[in-house]
Amino acid sequence: MAQADLADLDAFAAVARARSFRGAAAVRGVSPSSLSEAVRRLEGRLGVRLLNRTTRSVTPTEAGTRLLERLGPALGEVAAALDAVNSFRDSPTGTLRLNVPSIVARCVLPPIACAFLARHPGITLEVVAEDGFLDVLAAGFDAGVRYDERLEQDMIAVPIGPRVQRFVCGAAPAYLAARGAPQHPRDLLEHACIRHRFASGMALPWEFERDGEVVRISPKGPLVASAIDLELAAAEGGLGVITSFEEFLAPAFSRGTLVPVLADWWQSFSGPFLYYAGRDHLPAPLRAFVAFLRERARGGATSA
């Protein structure tokens, strides 16, 4: 097939895997309309519908499913063949697509990404920050970053960022002056609490730990949000008690706009991991990133 045909096939595969024109476009850095046009062009050339489209979903037809099953490995081989040229370069080129939690995008990845891209100027890093769990390969990403309780067992995991993190709890001085400071996690059931809701709709219980005792509670409060900046501003304004990653609340503790609450109950957990599918040939940008992380863990890489 001509090069244009190969591009249309690649576009179809991306949309079929993501089950969304918008989702595939976000990963690939193109417009949804360009992917839609590519799929229409391919369907016209083949004379068969490949995707069923509604306002709410995109699903492969039986013909589309059959094509995707055969096309995936073939496109992978084409990409691997082209990527093999990168081994002849002093520094690889290409695009590295990562899906990471918002905490990682905000507090963990910036110094790592800056140093890595300074080392490899031919690589473009594309990052999508979201807190839901998804099949990163099916969605078109090269790798993902998640915490150990969310890792798929058949993936290779490489430590990235701090190896220990904490959930911490705080409130504004004015709030504590008016309501008093809780002495035990269960006391929070009588307090106004600011809760975080994930994009999936889930609001996790608050978990505390001391001397091997774990306490889980589901407090109530005047605000439930999916935006940490809004939650933090509300807590600093005296609306209620907040719990989050230490990295999010530490600046407010330093400013004095929040003060620690139940500090002897703060729970520690292992830091995040980069994870990717084990396979014989990794794309050169991902291979370079994995090597960079391992070098950094040994103390051989410094920030740019």
Side-chain angles (χ1 to χ4, degrees):
M1 274 195 170
Q3 184 175 359
D5 297 331
L6 185 61
D8 290 350
L9 287 167
D10 190 41
F12 157 73
V15 174
R17 287 171 179 147
R19 302 294 181 101
S20 166
F21 283 96
R22 188 177 301 276
V27 172
R28 301 171 76 84
V30 298
S31 67
S33 60
S34 68
L35 292 180
S36 180
E37 177 59 32
V39 172
R40 281 198 298 268
R41 194 163 51 237
L42 181 62
E43 289 176 328
R45 187 177 299 117
L46 297 178
V48 63
R49 178 176 290 275
L50 299 173
L51 297 174
N52 290 317
R53 309 157 175 86
T54 71
T55 56
R56 295 186 176 182
S57 66
V58 175
T59 57
T61 63
E62 182 177 358
T65 299
R66 293 287 184 88
L67 178 60
L68 184 62
E69 289 173 351
R70 302 291 297 272
L71 191 60
L75 288 174
E77 286 298 317
V78 171
L82 294 174
D83 190 61
V85 176
N86 266 332
S87 63
F88 293 93
R89 301 180 185 272
D90 293 333
S91 177
T93 63
T95 300
L96 173 61
R97 299 181 177 90
L98 300 180
N99 184 283
V100 309
S102 56
I103 175 66
V104 170
R106 184 168 182 169
C107 300
V108 174
L109 195 57
I112 296 172
C114 289
F116 172 70
L117 294 174
R119 172 83 64 87
H120 297 288
I123 292 177
T124 298
L125 179 62
E126 294 185 3
V127 178
V128 172
E130 59 183 352
D131 294 314
F133 189 70
L134 78 165
D135 185 334
V136 294
L137 297 182
F141 295 95
D142 297 302
V145 175
R146 289 296 184 273
Y147 289 84
D148 55 2
E149 72 274 11
R150 305 295 296 277
L151 293 176
E152 296 290 342
Q153 296 302 310
D154 59 347
M155 303 292 255
I156 295 175
V158 178
I160 181 173
R163 300 322 313 138
V164 177
Q165 292 181 267
R166 291 193 299 178
F167 284 124
V168 302
C169 190
Y175 174 87
L176 296 176
R179 299 287 299 271
Q183 302 302 309
H184 188 279
R186 293 190 185 91
D187 294 344
L188 291 171
L189 296 174
E190 305 300 324
H191 280 262
C193 294
I194 298 167
R195 303 196 63 193
H196 182 82
R197 189 183 300 280
F198 292 96
S200 64
M202 181 181 297
L204 297 177
W206 290 11
E207 191 166 296
F208 299 86
E209 183 176 4
R210 185 177 69 179
D211 300 330
E213 179 187 2
V214 177
V215 177
R216 296 181 183 88
I217 62 170
S218 294
K220 305 298 182 182
L223 177 65
V224 181
S226 60
I228 185 61
D229 290 330
L230 173 60
E231 297 160 41
L232 181 56
E236 290 180 299
L239 192 62
V241 182
I242 185 173
T243 185
S244 188
F245 289 88
E246 184 172 14
E247 290 85 351
F248 280 151
L249 301 192
F253 290 152
S254 297
R255 292 191 298 268
T257 53
L258 292 181
V259 296
V261 170
L262 297 170
D264 55 342
W265 283 91
W266 290 354
Q267 188 180 55
S268 298
F269 55 94
S270 62
F273 293 83
L274 176 85
Y275 73 101
Y276 57 94
R279 54 193 182 198
D280 293 334
H281 180 83
L282 290 181
L286 176 57
R287 186 169 63 249
F289 191 56
V290 170
F292 179 82
L293 291 179
R294 288 176 170 157
E295 178 186 348
R296 191 179 181 91
R298 294 192 301 267
T302 58
S303 299

